[in-house]
Amino acid sequence: MGTPEFAVASLGSLLMNGFNVVAVVTAPDKPAGRGRQISKSPVKEFAEFSSLPILQPSNLKDPAFIHQLQTLKPDLFIVVAFRMLPAEVWKIPSMGTINLHASLLPQYRGSAPINHAIINGETMTGLTTFYIDDKIDTGNILLREEVPIFSFENAGDLHDRMMVQGARMIIRTLSEIVNDNLRPKQQSEFIKQGDILINAPKITPEFCTIDWKKDALSIHNFIRGLAPYPGAHSWFYKGSKPVMFKIFESNTDYSLSVDKPGKIFSDGKNFLRISCSQGYINICSLQVEGKKKMSTVEFLRGFRLEEYSKSVIQQVS
């Protein structure tokens, strides 16, 4: 059971390692893009290529869907980047339902653990396989593996590394279950005295607005954690019109005296920086509303900065 690209690697790994995948459950097709053409999920495309039976329920509690699952007589459900399952579904398999989560549970429960870990400046995250229960990401843990977060990578880079490592972890988990070598542990066993649990909720458009009153490192991590998608954004004025721009790559600069947060500085050719509460953000690549992504040098070559405001806007009402 899965939908995005992150789940494709695990499905492929199951097939390559000889597990009998009796069906694939994924999201219904839906309109996407500017043309609103009907789009298939990455998992569906891979399942079709692999000639696997596909189920696409719009309602996971639909009796007909539940009957289809029961008819398959599954030993296990493997869930990777899917929706929250009702008890009527996750209780069906004789050996339980397993989820792969992109954090070291119980930390970073929720739908966006990769993004939030980078945004919070973590240098270590991980992967967890666990049995699903009636709450979100709270079930008994099977395996955990640490994954370092490198300072030079963004959420997309980390996603791709964890996707591959997660696929291997699914196989290791199933092999240990088959050989009866695993003792599931309650998540409370992994909480040390003084630990504060951090959640990883869904990323909303409102969340992606840069707060220039924060320090440069916090903003840099925020940009990394939202790149390449959905992208951290801000606005400046062109005349009286607010223009949104997204920043995809940045670095920090503490060598200059600090100006009021949100001021824009540039030589018009090679650099574009914005002041924060402590330090500056040097923008390396960005995308202005209605334009393609470009490097700062490309941006400055094609845009007349004198037409834009000298400060960014904290938010647009």
Side-chain angles (χ1 to χ4, degrees):
M1 298 184 178
T3 297
E5 182 185 4
F6 191 85
V8 172
S10 292
L11 176 56
S13 189
L14 288 168
L15 295 174
M16 287 188 293
N17 283 275
F19 288 94
N20 181 24
V21 180
V22 295
V24 171
V25 181
T26 191
D29 300 349
K30 61 181 180 180
R34 291 185 178 180
R36 307 305 291 166
Q37 294 184 341
I38 299 300
S39 174
K40 302 174 184 177
S41 75
V43 165
K44 180 178 180 179
E45 291 183 345
F46 184 86
E48 286 182 336
F49 177 79
S50 304
S51 301
L52 295 171
I54 300 167
L55 304 177
Q56 294 180 273
S58 56
N59 179 7
L60 297 178
K61 293 184 179 181
D62 183 351
F65 168 64
I66 292 173
H67 177 70
Q68 283 180 299
L69 295 178
Q70 292 170 333
T71 302
L72 294 171
K73 297 181 179 178
D75 298 310
L76 279 163
F77 287 159
I78 309 297
V79 180
V80 182
F82 196 54
R83 295 147 62 188
M84 184 177 179
L85 299 179
E88 300 95 311
V89 171
W90 60 261
K91 288 183 177 180
I92 289 174
S94 58
M95 298 173 69
T97 296
I98 293 171
N99 193 104
L100 172 68
H101 187 73
S103 80
L104 290 174
L105 289 174
Q107 290 289 8
Y108 290 101
R109 292 171 178 154
S111 61
I114 293 175
N115 306 92
H116 285 283
I118 293 180
I119 288 169
N120 290 337
E122 304 283 6
T123 58
M124 185 68 68
T125 183
L127 292 152
T128 305
T129 50
F130 67 98
Y131 283 119
I132 283 181
D133 62 12
D134 58 353
K135 296 186 178 115
I136 297 176
D137 300 332
T138 59
N140 289 347
I141 288 174
L142 295 163
L143 291 176
R144 293 163 95 233
E145 289 182 3
E146 290 187 341
V147 178
I149 302 176
F150 302 116
S151 61
F152 55 80
E153 66 183 350
N154 62 24
D157 301 324
L158 182 57
H159 166 281
D160 292 349
R161 285 201 297 118
M162 295 181 78
M163 176 176 65
V164 174
Q165 188 168 334
R168 293 196 296 264
M169 191 173 181
I170 283 287
I171 300 307
R172 183 181 159 206
T173 300
L174 295 189
S175 298
E176 295 289 342
I177 288 174
V178 168
N179 293 320
D180 197 25
N181 287 335
L182 283 180
R183 181 184 71 82
K185 297 181 180 179
Q186 293 185 1
Q187 293 197 19
S188 58
E189 295 185 45
F190 296 91
I191 302 175
K192 300 175 184 176
Q193 186 174 3
D195 280 354
I196 298 174
L197 297 186
I198 304 170
N199 289 325
K202 181 179 179 180
I203 302 293
T204 64
E206 296 76 21
F207 177 84
C208 298
T209 301
I210 297 171
D211 181 359
W212 295 102
K213 298 190 196 72
K214 292 187 176 181
D215 65 276
L217 181 58
S218 295
I219 295 174
H220 173 63
N221 288 336
F222 188 74
I223 292 166
R224 291 171 56 219
L226 295 176
Y229 180 84
H233 64 247
S234 190
W235 296 265
F236 41 56
Y237 276 114
K238 184 177 183 181
S240 60
K241 179 186 176 183
V243 179
M244 187 176 81
F245 63 99
K246 294 182 178 181
I247 304 175
F248 296 100
E249 296 171 278
S250 66
N251 58 57
T252 58
D253 188 342
Y254 293 96
S255 64
L256 304 172
S257 61
V258 175
D259 291 273
K260 180 181 178 182
K263 288 188 68 175
I264 300 171
F265 299 85
S266 177
D267 63 353
K269 293 181 180 180
N270 299 304
F271 75 85
L272 179 64
R273 68 171 63 100
I274 300 176
S275 57
C276 315
S277 66
Q278 297 178 38
Y280 296 77
I281 287 293
N282 285 319
I283 299 174
C284 302
S285 66
L286 70 162
Q287 182 176 17
V288 177
E289 186 177 350
K291 304 294 182 179
K292 67 177 183 178
K293 176 183 173 182
M294 61 189 79
S295 69
T296 293
V297 172
E298 291 172 320
F299 169 75
L300 294 174
R301 189 184 302 138
F303 287 79
R304 295 172 60 86
L305 274 178
E306 61 268 22
E307 297 178 358
Y308 293 86
S309 59
K310 291 183 172 56
S311 297
V312 292
I313 311 167
Q314 283 295 338
Q315 60 184 2
V316 172
S317 56

